[in-house]
Every structure is written in structure tokens, then in C-alpha cells.
Amino acid sequence: MKKPRFTPLQIILHIAAHYPLAKVIFDYFTGGLTANPIQDIEQRTGRAAVTLLLLSLACTPLNTLFGWRELLKRRRALGLYAFL
């Protein structure tokens, strides 16, 4: 039996990591940004980056506590998305 190419965790991770950017673009075109759009975009992307960074740092303790090896494989992607 062939192993699936993408795991559900991978798919969820990539969709969730692209969501803040898609939301900013959507709000830009629909007029959903605040009166100071640069500050709003900066704060939104900063919050998303900190969240992704904390999730990437939480992978090792979660693996230690619960033994979920899949998280360790996705830690690098989370860190790269935080940097992006």
C-alpha cells in the first residue's frame, strides 16, 4: 500500500499559515482595513508570526508529553512560515 503524499496535519498547517495573508488581501480589496492600513497590516502579520513561532517552539514539548512524532516533522515548516 502506498503511503499518502500529504498528511492531514500538513494540509491543515499550510492552509492555516496562509490564512492571515489571504485575510489581509481580502480586507484590502473589500475596504476592511482600518484608517491606518500599514499599521493594521503590520500588527496582523506580526501576531500571525508570533503565533506560528510559538507553535513551532511547542512541537518538542508536545512530542515529549504525548509522543506525537508528526509534529517534529512539521516544526521546520512552522518556523519558516513564521519567518515569512
Side-chain angles (χ1 to χ4, degrees), residues 24 27 32-34 36-45:
V24 166
D27 284 345
L33 296 175
T34 61
N36 189 355
I38 294 173
Q39 180 184 12
D40 189 33
I41 291 170
E42 198 172 82
Q43 288 179 350
R44 287 183 189 196
T45 55

Side-chain angles (χ1 to χ4, degrees), residues 2-3 11 15 17-18 24 41 46 55 66 68 76 80-81:
K2 190 174 180 182
K3 188 176 178 182
I11 295 168
I15 290 171
H18 283 96
V24 166
I41 291 170
L55 286 173
F66 302 113
W68 197 15
R76 182 172 183 262
L80 289 174
Y81 275 128

Side-chain angles (χ1 to χ4, degrees), residues 31-81:
L33 296 175
T34 61
N36 189 355
I38 294 173
Q39 180 184 12
D40 189 33
I41 291 170
E42 198 172 82
Q43 288 179 350
R44 287 183 189 196
T45 55
R47 252 185 255 118
V50 168
T51 302
L52 289 168
L53 181 63
L54 289 175
L55 286 173
S56 71
L57 292 173
C59 287
T60 303
L62 288 173
N63 176 49
T64 304
L65 290 173
F66 302 113
W68 197 15
R69 308 275 311 161
E70 183 74 18
L71 284 175
L72 294 180
K73 296 176 186 175
R74 308 298 163 232
R75 179 178 50 195
R76 182 172 183 262
L78 282 168
L80 289 174
Y81 275 128

Side-chain angles (χ1 to χ4, degrees), residues 5-35:
R5 185 172 175 156
F6 297 108
T7 63
L9 181 64
Q10 255 181 314
I11 295 168
I12 291 169
L13 182 139
H14 291 295
I15 290 171
H18 283 96
Y19 175 75
L21 178 62
K23 178 81 168 121
V24 166
I25 292 171
F26 177 78
D27 284 345
Y28 174 77
F29 285 114
T30 59
L33 296 175
T34 61

